[in-house]
Amino acid sequence: MNQLTYKQQQITSLVAQGLTNKEIAQRLGYSPSTVRNHMQEIMRKLELKNRIQVALIGNESAQHL
């Protein structure tokens, strides 16, 4: 997760909590399309294929805090 920006780490954490893009956008004050763009970049950087993998990475990193 070190290669992610702070915003991307926040989004990953919220995905791990089960929030939708719309819920994440509302919580962080972003538009849903901004969250979608961040999700695409998160998946690209971490070489993940879907949201479930993002959630698993988010859960793993939360356990190491």
Side-chain angles (χ1 to χ4, degrees), residues 11-44:
I11 290 170
T12 300
S13 175
L14 294 171
V15 169
Q17 293 175 37
L19 274 66
T20 65
N21 285 357
K22 185 176 179 180
E23 291 168 332
I24 293 168
Q26 289 171 342
R27 185 169 292 188
L28 298 178
Y30 300 155
S31 72
S33 63
T34 298
V35 174
R36 186 176 55 250
N37 291 339
H38 278 296
M39 282 295 294
Q40 290 172 345
E41 187 63 13
I42 290 164
M43 290 189 284
R44 185 193 68 75

